[in-house]
Amino acid sequence: MTIVPALITLREIRLPLVEPFRTAAGTVDARRVLLLELTDADGYATWSECVAESRPTYAPDTVDTCWLALTEWIAPLVLGVSFESPVAVHPLLDNAVRGHNMARAAIEMAIWSLDALRQSLPLATALARAAGAAPRTRVDTGIALGMQSSPAALVARARAARDDGYRRIKMKVEPGRDAAWVREVRDALGSEVSLSVDANCSYSLDSASHRAALTELDTLGLAMIEQPLAHDDFVRHAELQRTMRTPICLDESIHGAASVEAMLALQSARMVNVKPGRVGGYAPALAIHERCLRANVPVWCGGMLECGIGRAYNVALASLPGFTEPGDLSPSARYWARDVVTPAWTMDDGRVQVPLERAGIGVEVDVAYVDELTARSITLAAR
Ligand code: MG
């Protein structure tokens, strides 16, 4: 079934957050979101989300660099081109464009969604078929708690998350706000609750105090320590992992299948956070999933403060069999006063339902609301 992308509309919207989200990199109170609407030559249409943030703190990609990359380089590469399968999109873009993974992913994943629509399949089913599997019907959900003002505030948030039913509570940490804070949460919530931390690259093995904090975190029964060291440092992550019982999980370090090979060869970590935007789309995410299944390395789906459109793509990915750890798939109401999709994403007993009743991404985009929020837009057509 040939897909010919005919029209791409890019929009930037500004979506207010329910509460400011603080990490080692800074604080955001509204999210600039890049949305993409793709129509093919037969009139099928779908939406996708480019997960880049405003500033290059998590990744080099930003809303503005992705806008440029999509309009100048990436959209022209796919518009008017016939694709026999969505699998063919990634190699084309990967050959022609170095980096700009989040921009490439926005188009690549939209083409997967169009392909599912054309086959009248839910996106999760189409993706699972590509992986030779069947999708799960529900996905375990974890929460990522931003940096809080005090250990007591962190304990309160963690307690609320447990009461909400989240299957894993992940806390952002940074030097000086780490082991002692997490110990208080562990003491308050007990040993049964799955706790983990995410350092977003903020520790260095050159610092004695950082090493001491990491050693202490290793005593707290955590499910994982996510990305403690620099994004490009596989060797030192391996050095650290050799000294720790707690699995290290890589996030910022993983840009595609080759990063996973490096991680496995060096034994830099024992777990992988897969964000399809960070790795350039679904085809590389599927390759990572397959490789990690073979290596017996658990994977899970991370979050980028997506709105309900990006969430749909993450939920579909997280329904694959190798995604054995809870994903960062919080319901819409955790982040947004009002999501841009209906129905909004909800959580029941710590799980998100995979929408398997309808073709495509499984939710309806509230176009009138998106129009209201739109700050700029551009439509690109095949020449
Ligand atoms: Mg992370």
Side-chain angles (χ1 to χ4, degrees):
M1 222 184 302
T2 309
I3 309 157
V4 184
L7 219 56
I8 289 171
T9 298
L10 264 187
R11 299 168 182 251
E12 180 186 332
I13 64 169
R14 198 173 163 84
L15 195 56
L17 285 156
V18 167
E19 59 166 356
F21 191 77
R22 179 162 148 65
T23 71
T27 305
V28 285
D29 57 10
R31 179 83 159 92
R32 290 172 68 199
V33 185
L34 209 50
L35 297 178
L36 189 150
E37 195 179 3
L38 173 63
T39 306
D40 78 359
D42 295 323
Y44 289 90
T46 193
W47 291 77
S48 69
E49 176 173 347
C50 176
V51 299
E53 299 172 320
S54 297
R55 301 169 64 84
T57 44
Y58 169 82
D61 309 80
T62 68
V63 167
D64 298 301
T65 66
C66 286
W67 185 279
L68 177 76
L70 281 162
T71 52
E72 293 292 321
W73 309 310
I74 300 172
L77 285 169
V78 302
L79 284 166
V81 175
S82 296
F83 293 100
E84 291 303 323
S85 150
V87 175
V89 180
H90 175 67
L92 172 84
L93 298 182
D94 201 39
N95 272 329
V97 176
R98 183 73 42 85
H100 301 284
N101 288 12
M102 291 178 179
R104 288 197 266 134
I107 282 190
E108 198 256 8
M109 292 161 78
I111 295 176
W112 278 89
S113 165
L114 265 190
D115 183 58
L117 267 181
R118 293 177 63 98
Q119 299 180 69
S120 302
L121 288 176
L123 181 59
T125 305
L127 208 53
R129 283 190 185 176
R136 270 191 203 103
T137 56
R138 300 195 302 167
V139 179
D140 285 0
T141 300
I143 191 170
L145 297 177
M147 219 75 76
Q148 302 297 313
S149 55
S150 66
L154 182 61
V155 169
R157 298 307 300 267
R159 196 175 265 134
R162 179 204 52 196
D163 295 346
D164 285 345
Y166 283 102
R167 306 247 156 191
R168 188 217 58 213
I169 298 168
K170 182 173 92 173
M171 293 159 279
K172 296 288 185 181
V173 291
E174 65 184 10
R177 299 163 172 242
D178 45 37
W181 296 43
V182 175
R183 185 182 298 283
E184 290 204 23
V185 174
R186 176 57 84 202
D187 289 347
L189 268 58
S191 58
E192 298 301 299
V193 175
S194 177
L195 297 179
S196 62
V197 296
D198 185 357
N200 290 109
C201 311
S202 58
Y203 290 78
S204 164
L205 295 188
D206 294 334
S207 158
S209 66
H210 290 193
R211 277 183 183 266
L214 291 166
T215 300
E216 199 185 338
L217 283 168
D218 195 30
T219 66
L220 298 176
L222 302 175
M224 63 174 172
I225 297 182
E226 191 177 340
Q227 196 72 43
L229 307 178
H231 68 97
D232 54 356
D233 202 343
F234 286 93
V235 170
R236 290 189 139 200
H237 273 109
E239 183 188 324
L240 179 62
Q241 181 66 94
R242 280 197 292 277
T243 70
M244 297 189 99
R245 272 171 301 179
T246 310
I248 291 176
C249 173
L250 292 184
D251 173 355
E252 284 91 334
S253 293
I254 304 296
H255 305 289
S259 327
V260 172
E261 289 302 335
M263 181 200 100
L264 293 172
L266 295 169
Q267 301 186 349
S268 308
R270 300 182 191 143
M271 210 181 278
V272 175
N273 167 342
V274 183
K275 293 178 182 171
R278 192 191 62 232
V279 301
Y282 269 162
L286 285 167
I288 290 168
H289 169 257
E290 190 274 330
R291 185 65 185 94
C292 287
L293 262 182
R294 253 192 305 132
N296 228 353
V297 167
V299 304
W300 57 279
C301 183
M304 290 294 300
L305 288 184
E306 290 90 352
C307 72
I309 297 170
R311 176 71 76 246
Y313 285 87
N314 285 354
V315 167
L317 184 68
S319 73
L320 294 175
F323 285 74
T324 51
E325 300 292 314
D328 281 347
L329 304 166
S330 286
S332 304
R334 154 127 171 92
Y335 295 124
W336 317 114
R338 176 178 168 192
D339 205 340
V340 299
V341 300
T342 51
W345 292 94
T346 55
M347 182 173 77
D348 181 33
D349 191 27
R351 297 191 174 97
V352 170
Q353 192 84 32
V354 182
L356 295 171
E357 293 77 37
R358 33 191 305 191
I361 64 172
V363 285
E364 199 74 49
V365 175
D366 184 343
V367 181
Y369 185 44
V370 168
D371 279 341
E372 253 175 64
L373 299 172
T374 298
R376 56 172 167 165
S377 72
I378 185 171
T379 297
L380 306 156
R383 274 184 242 190

